[in-house]
Amino acid sequence: MKLTKVAAMGATVALSALALAACSSKNTTANNDNTLRLMLTGDVQSLDNSNTANLAQWNVLEQTMEGLYRADKKGNPAPAMATKVVKPSNNGKTYVFHLRKNAKWANGDPVTAQDFVNSWRRSAGPTAKSGYNYIFTGIKNAEQVSTGKMPTSALGVKALDRHTLRVDLEYAMPYFSRMMVLPAFFPQNTRMVKQAGSKYGTNSKNMVANGPFQVKGWTGSNDSWKLVRNKYYYDKKDIHLKQMNMRVVKDANTAHQLFQQKQLDDAQITGTTAQGLQKDKNLRHVYRAGTYYLRLNLANNKAFQNAKLRQALFLVLNKDSLAKKVLSDGSQAASTYVAPRLAVDPTTGKDFAKETAPKETYNVKKAQQLWQEGLKELGQKKVKLTLVSDDQTVTKNVGQFVQSQVESKLAGASVEVHAVPSKEVSDRLANGNFDMQSALWLADFADPVSDFDVLTKNNPQNYGKYANDNYNQQLVDAKGVNGTNPKKYWANMRAAQEQLNQDMPVVPLYTMTESHLVNPKVKGVLWHSVGETDYTRASFTK
């Protein structure tokens, strides 16, 4: 998931943790009107998945739209608009989906194969503004379509008839089914897109849903609205809520207060607010498949072109201390770029991140030795490093931790922390004006390749200029000759992570953990480690 997409996660507030700990969060009364009250930490800019992609939008689309599949309680693809989970033919390169004939949009229109075709063409095309046309890579002609070298009609997706959709790939993608739960692949109502034109998705009147709920009362700029039931939804028997009320709450302390006042059934809290409520009985940790890390600049004129300096940095940082003492919000130390809970290696039955973790993650003495060897190889006795981060409180705290650890333990090292607005972070990345940068990558789908692709040589988001022939070849083989061989595919995945462990182009710090205050009367919520939280089958206990 692109960094700009997670920037909407909200601001932290400087409030005494001691005072917060003394507050009691009580929200134990069942909701008598069968309405679930939810919050978003950022603004919804559009509901058009071809032109916008951020967490707030995707959270709304998760409750109101459905693609070919939806994620079940274990995070696995389950039939949604498609009648079953399809096995590919043509050596893994062709998928034929049969759509539910009783699937309808909230305006009564049938959901058709052409709704998918038109949506994917809009989203993969060169005029799409979501930044997510890259996610279609692997579908036949997608790269040429996204760059304008081919018309959108050349994209490998076709309506064979009203309820049959065919997708042709350029190579086998064993993770393709997992991708189909992403909002980027949701259909769009063909009639509404044509009728609304450029206004499609700009407000609830210019949008129609095909999922369990539909948006009502969103003007495009207001901070509260409703999701009401779609009376045409094919699975009405499993939908228990009357409606959901959504509001934008950017301040964690405000979210806490609204939860206490029973105006929220799920309040996401961050920063010192979360720190002070870690023992609250209503607190729930949601572990996401995302890793906070330091992106290192490997360009030739930068210190971290030297592998020993990169390895030293990884070993000198006490990630456990960062998670437990600095963050104190339920976060856990990370040792691999791929986060725990992203995927289980089916050939071993083990969590992928855990089975590929380095044997050594913290060794100050070894770090100091590597550091001096690296400096000698560079012909330098001292290095001055610049760490760039956004200006959120939690990110500043992480930067200060890194600065302290490096300067106190590695002779000849000095670190300047530049905490700047997000736009300036983006500019510095584009210009290569950094040595280290505090970053987060949240996997798009439940396969390590969702993370690994970002660090391939030619990926536009590979700002650190990492280039390793073996690493790139492992991914080429996984997507090519080994795409239909699970044993070899997962061997490629393990080899790619092990190469990162050796080269350390990114230094993992801690895993993404959300702190939620949740009404204990709410049940049936699907808290996914990958993808958005699904509230559609939720209900209240009496």
Side-chain angles (χ1 to χ4, degrees), residues 371-396:
W371 187 259
Q372 291 306 313
E373 291 175 359
L375 288 179
K376 187 175 181 179
E377 290 176 0
L378 288 175
Q380 300 180 29
K381 293 184 178 180
K382 296 181 180 180
V383 291
K384 185 176 182 180
L385 303 170
T386 300
L387 194 166
V388 177
S389 75
D390 64 38
D391 52 4
Q392 294 187 63
T393 301
V394 65
T395 321
K396 290 179 182 178

mmCIF file of all heavy atoms in Angstrom, residues 371-396:
data_model
loop_
_atom_site.group_PDB
_atom_site.id
_atom_site.type_symbol
_atom_site.label_atom_id
_atom_site.label_comp_id
_atom_site.label_asym_id
_atom_site.label_seq_id
_atom_site.Cartn_x
_atom_site.Cartn_y
_atom_site.Cartn_z
ATOM 1 N N TRP A 371 30.408 -1.473 11.662
ATOM 2 C CA TRP A 371 30.397 -0.033 11.398
ATOM 3 C C TRP A 371 31.802 0.472 11.067
ATOM 4 O O TRP A 371 32.004 1.193 10.085
ATOM 5 C CB TRP A 371 29.830 0.713 12.591
ATOM 6 C CG TRP A 371 29.624 2.180 12.365
ATOM 7 C CD1 TRP A 371 30.428 3.196 12.788
ATOM 8 C CD2 TRP A 371 28.554 2.791 11.646
ATOM 9 N NE1 TRP A 371 29.922 4.405 12.388
ATOM 10 C CE2 TRP A 371 28.765 4.187 11.686
ATOM 11 C CE3 TRP A 371 27.428 2.298 10.995
ATOM 12 C CZ2 TRP A 371 27.894 5.090 11.083
ATOM 13 C CZ3 TRP A 371 26.555 3.196 10.381
ATOM 14 C CH2 TRP A 371 26.798 4.579 10.429
ATOM 15 N N GLN A 372 32.776 0.060 11.872
ATOM 16 C CA GLN A 372 34.147 0.514 11.642
ATOM 17 C C GLN A 372 34.709 -0.065 10.341
ATOM 18 O O GLN A 372 35.426 0.618 9.605
ATOM 19 C CB GLN A 372 35.033 0.128 12.833
ATOM 20 C CG GLN A 372 34.716 0.895 14.116
ATOM 21 C CD GLN A 372 34.740 2.405 13.916
ATOM 22 O OE1 GLN A 372 35.671 2.951 13.312
ATOM 23 N NE2 GLN A 372 33.704 3.084 14.413
ATOM 24 N N GLU A 373 34.366 -1.309 10.048
ATOM 25 C CA GLU A 373 34.809 -1.910 8.799
ATOM 26 C C GLU A 373 34.196 -1.186 7.604
ATOM 27 O O GLU A 373 34.866 -0.968 6.584
ATOM 28 C CB GLU A 373 34.436 -3.396 8.763
ATOM 29 C CG GLU A 373 35.207 -4.259 9.753
ATOM 30 C CD GLU A 373 34.717 -5.698 9.762
ATOM 31 O OE1 GLU A 373 33.766 -6.019 9.002
ATOM 32 O OE2 GLU A 373 35.268 -6.509 10.534
ATOM 33 N N GLY A 374 32.939 -0.825 7.737
ATOM 34 C CA GLY A 374 32.267 -0.103 6.663
ATOM 35 C C GLY A 374 32.857 1.271 6.426
ATOM 36 O O GLY A 374 33.054 1.686 5.273
ATOM 37 N N LEU A 375 33.148 1.981 7.505
ATOM 38 C CA LEU A 375 33.760 3.303 7.366
ATOM 39 C C LEU A 375 35.118 3.202 6.675
ATOM 40 O O LEU A 375 35.477 4.020 5.817
ATOM 41 C CB LEU A 375 33.923 3.964 8.741
ATOM 42 C CG LEU A 375 32.647 4.451 9.435
ATOM 43 C CD1 LEU A 375 32.997 5.061 10.793
ATOM 44 C CD2 LEU A 375 31.901 5.471 8.583
ATOM 45 N N LYS A 376 35.874 2.180 7.055
ATOM 46 C CA LYS A 376 37.200 1.980 6.450
ATOM 47 C C LYS A 376 37.074 1.715 4.960
ATOM 48 O O LYS A 376 37.861 2.240 4.151
ATOM 49 C CB LYS A 376 37.904 0.820 7.141
ATOM 50 C CG LYS A 376 39.357 0.637 6.699
ATOM 51 C CD LYS A 376 40.036 -0.459 7.506
ATOM 52 C CE LYS A 376 41.496 -0.627 7.079
ATOM 53 N NZ LYS A 376 42.190 -1.679 7.862
ATOM 54 N N GLU A 377 36.078 0.914 4.564
ATOM 55 C CA GLU A 377 35.867 0.628 3.149
ATOM 56 C C GLU A 377 35.492 1.882 2.371
ATOM 57 O O GLU A 377 35.815 2.010 1.182
ATOM 58 C CB GLU A 377 34.795 -0.444 2.990
ATOM 59 C CG GLU A 377 35.245 -1.827 3.450
ATOM 60 C CD GLU A 377 34.134 -2.872 3.370
ATOM 61 O OE1 GLU A 377 33.009 -2.513 2.944
ATOM 62 O OE2 GLU A 377 34.375 -4.032 3.741
ATOM 63 N N LEU A 378 34.805 2.802 3.042
ATOM 64 C CA LEU A 378 34.433 4.065 2.400
ATOM 65 C C LEU A 378 35.548 5.089 2.448
ATOM 66 O O LEU A 378 35.461 6.145 1.805
ATOM 67 C CB LEU A 378 33.186 4.655 3.072
ATOM 68 C CG LEU A 378 31.846 3.956 2.822
ATOM 69 C CD1 LEU A 378 30.755 4.603 3.658
ATOM 70 C CD2 LEU A 378 31.470 3.979 1.346
ATOM 71 N N GLY A 379 36.593 4.807 3.251
ATOM 72 C CA GLY A 379 37.688 5.758 3.416
ATOM 73 C C GLY A 379 37.304 6.950 4.271
ATOM 74 O O GLY A 379 37.805 8.058 4.074
ATOM 75 N N GLN A 380 36.405 6.724 5.211
ATOM 76 C CA GLN A 380 35.932 7.805 6.075
ATOM 77 C C GLN A 380 36.060 7.423 7.551
ATOM 78 O O GLN A 380 36.014 6.241 7.899
ATOM 79 C CB GLN A 380 34.466 8.130 5.761
ATOM 80 C CG GLN A 380 34.222 8.580 4.332
ATOM 81 C CD GLN A 380 32.755 8.891 4.066
ATOM 82 O OE1 GLN A 380 32.030 9.287 4.976
ATOM 83 N NE2 GLN A 380 32.323 8.705 2.832
ATOM 84 N N LYS A 381 36.188 8.425 8.390
ATOM 85 C CA LYS A 381 36.213 8.199 9.832
ATOM 86 C C LYS A 381 34.901 8.635 10.488
ATOM 87 O O LYS A 381 34.572 8.194 11.583
ATOM 88 C CB LYS A 381 37.380 8.965 10.461
ATOM 89 C CG LYS A 381 38.747 8.438 10.046
ATOM 90 C CD LYS A 381 39.859 9.169 10.776
ATOM 91 C CE LYS A 381 41.232 8.604 10.387
ATOM 92 N NZ LYS A 381 42.330 9.315 11.101
ATOM 93 N N LYS A 382 34.180 9.510 9.798
ATOM 94 C CA LYS A 382 32.915 10.008 10.321
ATOM 95 C C LYS A 382 31.889 10.083 9.198
ATOM 96 O O LYS A 382 32.240 10.269 8.033
ATOM 97 C CB LYS A 382 33.085 11.399 10.944
ATOM 98 C CG LYS A 382 33.992 11.453 12.151
ATOM 99 C CD LYS A 382 34.072 12.874 12.690
ATOM 100 C CE LYS A 382 34.989 12.944 13.920
ATOM 101 N NZ LYS A 382 35.066 14.333 14.454
ATOM 102 N N VAL A 383 30.618 9.928 9.577
ATOM 103 C CA VAL A 383 29.540 10.150 8.622
ATOM 104 C C VAL A 383 28.425 10.954 9.282
ATOM 105 O O VAL A 383 28.116 10.750 10.465
ATOM 106 C CB VAL A 383 28.952 8.829 8.064
ATOM 107 C CG1 VAL A 383 29.953 8.121 7.171
ATOM 108 C CG2 VAL A 383 28.477 7.930 9.172
ATOM 109 N N LYS A 384 27.861 11.865 8.524
ATOM 110 C CA LYS A 384 26.730 12.659 9.000
ATOM 111 C C LYS A 384 25.502 12.213 8.223
ATOM 112 O O LYS A 384 25.459 12.313 6.998
ATOM 113 C CB LYS A 384 26.994 14.143 8.768
ATOM 114 C CG LYS A 384 25.927 15.062 9.332
ATOM 115 C CD LYS A 384 26.327 16.525 9.131
ATOM 116 C CE LYS A 384 25.303 17.460 9.723
ATOM 117 N NZ LYS A 384 25.691 18.894 9.526
ATOM 118 N N LEU A 385 24.523 11.684 8.943
ATOM 119 C CA LEU A 385 23.348 11.085 8.312
ATOM 120 C C LEU A 385 22.109 11.951 8.511
ATOM 121 O O LEU A 385 21.912 12.529 9.593
ATOM 122 C CB LEU A 385 23.093 9.695 8.905
ATOM 123 C CG LEU A 385 24.263 8.707 8.801
ATOM 124 C CD1 LEU A 385 23.974 7.468 9.636
ATOM 125 C CD2 LEU A 385 24.521 8.326 7.347
ATOM 126 N N THR A 386 21.273 12.003 7.494
ATOM 127 C CA THR A 386 20.011 12.738 7.573
ATOM 128 C C THR A 386 18.854 11.748 7.609
ATOM 129 O O THR A 386 18.727 10.903 6.719
ATOM 130 C CB THR A 386 19.837 13.664 6.351
ATOM 131 O OG1 THR A 386 20.911 14.598 6.320
ATOM 132 C CG2 THR A 386 18.516 14.417 6.443
ATOM 133 N N LEU A 387 18.024 11.842 8.639
ATOM 134 C CA LEU A 387 16.834 11.004 8.759
ATOM 135 C C LEU A 387 15.623 11.882 8.507
ATOM 136 O O LEU A 387 15.375 12.842 9.243
ATOM 137 C CB LEU A 387 16.759 10.363 10.148
ATOM 138 C CG LEU A 387 15.766 9.210 10.339
ATOM 139 C CD1 LEU A 387 16.064 8.478 11.651
ATOM 140 C CD2 LEU A 387 14.318 9.667 10.368
ATOM 141 N N VAL A 388 14.865 11.564 7.482
ATOM 142 C CA VAL A 388 13.679 12.338 7.105
ATOM 143 C C VAL A 388 12.426 11.593 7.554
ATOM 144 O O VAL A 388 12.298 10.386 7.350
ATOM 145 C CB VAL A 388 13.638 12.563 5.583
ATOM 146 C CG1 VAL A 388 12.365 13.311 5.182
ATOM 147 C CG2 VAL A 388 14.868 13.336 5.134
ATOM 148 N N SER A 389 11.507 12.320 8.189
ATOM 149 C CA SER A 389 10.245 11.718 8.609
ATOM 150 C C SER A 389 9.136 12.748 8.468
ATOM 151 O O SER A 389 9.399 13.944 8.283
ATOM 152 C CB SER A 389 10.320 11.239 10.055
ATOM 153 O OG SER A 389 10.255 12.337 10.960
ATOM 154 N N ASP A 390 7.882 12.280 8.566
ATOM 155 C CA ASP A 390 6.787 13.246 8.614
ATOM 156 C C ASP A 390 6.765 13.879 10.003
ATOM 157 O O ASP A 390 7.553 13.532 10.877
ATOM 158 C CB ASP A 390 5.455 12.600 8.239
ATOM 159 C CG ASP A 390 5.015 11.526 9.210
ATOM 160 O OD1 ASP A 390 5.213 11.687 10.433
ATOM 161 O OD2 ASP A 390 4.444 10.507 8.764
ATOM 162 N N ASP A 391 5.845 14.817 10.198
ATOM 163 C CA ASP A 391 5.872 15.604 11.431
ATOM 164 C C ASP A 391 4.837 15.162 12.463
ATOM 165 O O ASP A 391 4.483 15.923 13.367
ATOM 166 C CB ASP A 391 5.700 17.096 11.131
ATOM 167 C CG ASP A 391 4.480 17.399 10.265
ATOM 168 O OD1 ASP A 391 3.716 16.449 9.962
ATOM 169 O OD2 ASP A 391 4.296 18.567 9.891
ATOM 170 N N GLN A 392 4.353 13.916 12.365
ATOM 171 C CA GLN A 392 3.483 13.394 13.406
ATOM 172 C C GLN A 392 4.309 13.114 14.666
ATOM 173 O O GLN A 392 5.488 12.755 14.592
ATOM 174 C CB GLN A 392 2.779 12.117 12.951
ATOM 175 C CG GLN A 392 1.798 12.319 11.831
ATOM 176 C CD GLN A 392 1.000 11.064 11.540
ATOM 177 O OE1 GLN A 392 0.257 10.592 12.396
ATOM 178 N NE2 GLN A 392 1.147 10.527 10.354
ATOM 179 N N THR A 393 3.683 13.230 15.820
ATOM 180 C CA THR A 393 4.387 13.060 17.080
ATOM 181 C C THR A 393 5.054 11.699 17.190
ATOM 182 O O THR A 393 6.221 11.584 17.575
ATOM 183 C CB THR A 393 3.424 13.258 18.268
ATOM 184 O OG1 THR A 393 2.853 14.564 18.197
ATOM 185 C CG2 THR A 393 4.159 13.099 19.594
ATOM 186 N N VAL A 394 4.322 10.645 16.844
ATOM 187 C CA VAL A 394 4.873 9.302 16.990
ATOM 188 C C VAL A 394 6.086 9.105 16.088
ATOM 189 O O VAL A 394 7.072 8.476 16.477
ATOM 190 C CB VAL A 394 3.792 8.230 16.716
ATOM 191 C CG1 VAL A 394 3.314 8.278 15.273
ATOM 192 C CG2 VAL A 394 4.301 6.847 17.064
ATOM 193 N N THR A 395 6.047 9.687 14.891
ATOM 194 C CA THR A 395 7.171 9.538 13.967
ATOM 195 C C THR A 395 8.382 10.313 14.465
ATOM 196 O O THR A 395 9.527 9.864 14.320
ATOM 197 C CB THR A 395 6.784 10.030 12.560
ATOM 198 O OG1 THR A 395 5.441 9.636 12.269
ATOM 199 C CG2 THR A 395 7.702 9.461 11.510
ATOM 200 N N LYS A 396 8.141 11.472 15.056
ATOM 201 C CA LYS A 396 9.238 12.236 15.649
ATOM 202 C C LYS A 396 9.904 11.441 16.768
ATOM 203 O O LYS A 396 11.131 11.424 16.882
ATOM 204 C CB LYS A 396 8.713 13.562 16.203
ATOM 205 C CG LYS A 396 8.273 14.570 15.160
ATOM 206 C CD LYS A 396 7.752 15.829 15.844
ATOM 207 C CE LYS A 396 7.248 16.858 14.848
ATOM 208 N NZ LYS A 396 6.695 18.055 15.538
#
